[in-house]
Amino acid sequence: MRILSRTLLFCSVASLATAQTNGPGYQPITGGGRFEWAIMNTISLPSFGAGLVSSGLGTAIHHPTEYGTNLNGFGKRFGLRLTGVSTSNTMEAGLGAFWGEDPRYFRAAGQPFGRRIGHVLKMTVMAPNRDGTIRPAYARFAAIGGSNFLSNAWRPDSDATAGHATIRVGLGFLGRLSSNAFDEFWPDVKSRIFR
């Protein structure tokens, strides 16, 4: 029953979202733009910073245990995260090309704060189509889910379980939410700091 109610809620949100567009000046992403997006979202400063935090936390709590709690273990955790992120970004950009899904995040600058927060949340699970219509981000769902289960093939045994992969899927969407929030609000913060 809970699964049915969640599915109905998702479908109603999706149907409302398809009526909204990304703005009159929307330009679809190009093939080169997809490649650039996949690379930059893997090696950008925010992604690098998230990797440092994630690897540091994993080292502090000794997860996965096979890597130890030393600098070498930190490096292995950083590399493990990097392979997962790059796989996910490549899958999202590639699958999105088939479906016409644009992985880029577009700010809602100038809108009231509450609407901007809502936009950050919505665009975590939605994406513009070729014509700018906002639809469910199917390539993102497939990429985050698929890459986290696929990465079980190269993860240490203690971390290569369906349960851990499911947790990583949730963390992947949390990471996308955080990335959207950074993209939405950092330009405002930066302009106030560096006047």
Side-chain angles (χ1 to χ4, degrees):
M1 186 63 162
R2 288 170 61 185
I3 293 173
L4 178 61
S5 63
R6 287 181 184 164
T7 304
L8 291 173
L9 175 64
F10 179 79
C11 291
S12 64
V13 169
S15 66
L16 286 173
T18 57
Q20 302 169 359
T21 62
N22 212 35
Y26 173 74
Q27 294 293 317
I29 191 169
T30 63
R34 284 182 190 283
F35 181 75
E36 180 182 350
W37 177 88
I39 297 294
M40 293 312 297
N41 276 336
T42 301
I43 63 168
S44 67
L45 190 57
S47 180
F48 186 79
L52 292 176
V53 170
S54 171
S55 302
L57 182 60
T59 302
I61 64 171
H62 198 208
H63 179 79
T65 56
E66 290 91 340
Y67 287 169
T69 56
N70 53 24
L71 188 58
N72 187 36
F74 174 87
K76 288 179 179 179
R77 288 177 180 90
F78 189 86
L80 183 63
R81 180 192 175 275
L82 186 63
T83 60
V85 169
S86 62
T87 302
S88 180
N89 289 340
T90 302
M91 288 175 72
E92 183 173 351
L95 289 171
F98 289 115
W99 299 327
E101 186 177 300
D102 191 336
R104 299 174 294 179
Y105 178 80
F106 296 95
R107 297 178 66 220
Q111 296 290 320
F113 182 74
R115 280 197 182 165
R116 293 178 77 183
I117 292 291
H119 182 70
V120 166
L121 292 168
K122 177 176 86 172
M123 297 312 289
T124 300
V125 295
M126 309 294 278
N129 202 350
R130 283 186 182 95
D131 62 1
T133 303
I134 305 299
R135 302 205 182 260
Y138 296 119
R140 185 169 306 142
F141 290 120
I144 291 175
S147 66
N148 279 293
F149 278 90
L150 178 65
S151 72
N152 280 347
W154 61 82
R155 287 184 175 273
D157 291 341
S158 68
D159 200 34
T161 66
H164 282 107
T166 302
I167 291 168
R168 289 192 304 271
V169 169
L171 292 173
F173 280 101
L174 182 61
R176 178 53 65 96
L177 175 70
S178 301
S179 174
N180 288 354
F182 182 86
D183 290 346
E184 181 68 38
F185 296 109
W186 175 245
D188 299 334
V189 171
K190 186 170 66 172
S191 70
R192 289 185 179 161
I193 292 173
F194 302 110
R195 283 185 186 176

